[in-house]
Amino acid sequence: MAPVAPARSTLGAVTDPLLPAAVLWDMDGTIIDTEPYWMAEEERLVHEAGGTWSTQDSLDLVGNDLRDSAAIILERTPVTGTPEQVVDQLLSGVVARTRDHVPWRPGARELLEECVARGVPTALVTMSWTSLADVLLQALPPATFTTVVTGDGVSRGKPHPDPYLEAARRLRVAPAQCLAIEDSPTGARSSTAAGVPTVAVPHIVAVPEMAGLTTLPSLAGVGLERLAGLWRDLRDQTATGSAASSAGAV
């Protein structure tokens, strides 16, 4: 028998206290493995301008707001134009590559589908712009995500907390009642700064230890029950830490 979806509160938030009120998903490197696409397009753009671009240069951009990444490219290489123009050139190439082949990360699609089947609202929180997010949305069943926050829709991107705070605001749930899934240090800093318990699944770059975060080697074989258990542990650790801080201040 298929699991029965828990009762929902406002805007689809689950009322089961053992489950997060929502799961907030990063996209690049977390749901789909587009980082090699970004690296290839960065290298192509720089080489066409007569410059050089190393693997380390590409790694420095992982998880960034695209405008910040474009500014770094303009600073380090002979590429010319505005940050927006650089983003447009990179995006067009990555969008074309992703349309040709959507590179799913292990276990991500299955876990996302289980969240939807169990009635847990999901948000896409990505620093990619709408044109690339749309490629992912077209590859998934309609209404997979309750809301979508993209890099071109926020004034300050990751590592600032704004994208995750905006997702929680739209879902009408407290950040601490959500769970974020991220793959990069920049993304994890954004989600934890917003007060969202975070599971990091490092991919291209390592994610250092930080408060409010735990790490998994992969999402392969990870179901919602295990994810919920990690969320409860992180929530309890945060509550314990806050209580200890308050007691120490007395």
Side-chain angles (χ1 to χ4, degrees):
M1 179 182 295
V4 177
R8 293 168 178 258
S9 60
T10 59
L11 206 64
V14 296
T15 57
D16 186 339
L18 297 180
L19 296 177
V23 178
L24 315 181
W25 291 78
D26 173 58
M27 183 175 73
D28 297 284
T30 299
I31 299 177
I32 51 177
D33 188 9
T34 48
E35 297 298 355
Y37 293 172
W38 286 107
M39 292 178 172
E41 290 301 318
E42 292 157 10
E43 185 176 9
R44 177 195 59 77
L45 180 64
V46 173
H47 283 184
E48 287 180 354
T52 58
W53 190 250
S54 69
T55 299
Q56 185 57 54
D57 285 321
S58 286
L59 294 177
D60 290 343
L61 307 190
V62 172
N64 283 359
D65 182 295
L66 292 184
R67 285 161 294 211
D68 292 341
S69 292
I72 292 172
I73 291 173
L74 289 169
E75 178 184 337
R76 295 183 183 180
T77 74
V79 173
T80 59
T82 66
E84 289 74 17
Q85 289 170 332
V86 171
V87 171
D88 285 342
Q89 292 181 71
L90 294 174
L91 260 178
S92 62
V94 176
V95 166
R97 291 171 183 266
T98 309
R99 279 199 181 118
D100 184 59
H101 173 67
V102 179
W104 301 102
R105 291 285 293 138
R109 187 172 187 177
E110 293 80 2
L111 181 55
L112 179 57
E113 290 172 347
E114 185 181 0
C115 289
V116 175
R118 293 283 299 276
V120 178
T122 58
L124 186 66
V125 185
T126 176
M127 287 302 89
S128 285
W129 288 10
T130 302
S131 58
L132 182 54
D134 283 346
V135 178
L136 173 66
L137 298 180
Q138 291 161 10
L140 291 167
T144 292
F145 290 104
T146 311
T147 191
V148 176
V149 177
T150 56
D152 51 340
V154 292
S155 58
R156 296 196 309 171
K158 302 173 185 178
H160 299 287
D162 305 40
Y164 280 99
L165 291 175
E166 175 64 13
R169 184 193 67 80
R170 292 185 191 179
L171 295 170
R172 302 178 190 170
V173 294
Q177 296 305 310
C178 301
L179 177 73
I181 305 179
E182 274 284 354
D183 75 301
S184 71
T186 303
R189 291 187 185 104
S190 173
S191 57
T192 55
V196 180
T198 301
V199 171
V201 188
H203 178 37
I204 298 293
V205 292
V207 177
E209 292 184 5
M210 59 187 78
L213 177 142
T214 191
T215 302
L216 288 176
S218 172
L219 290 179
V222 175
L224 182 57
E225 294 302 330
R226 184 178 180 194
L227 199 69
L230 295 172
W231 167 72
R232 292 193 299 271
D233 289 344
L234 289 167
R235 181 192 58 184
D236 294 346
Q237 290 168 16
T238 301
T240 300
S242 299
S245 298
S246 298
V250 174

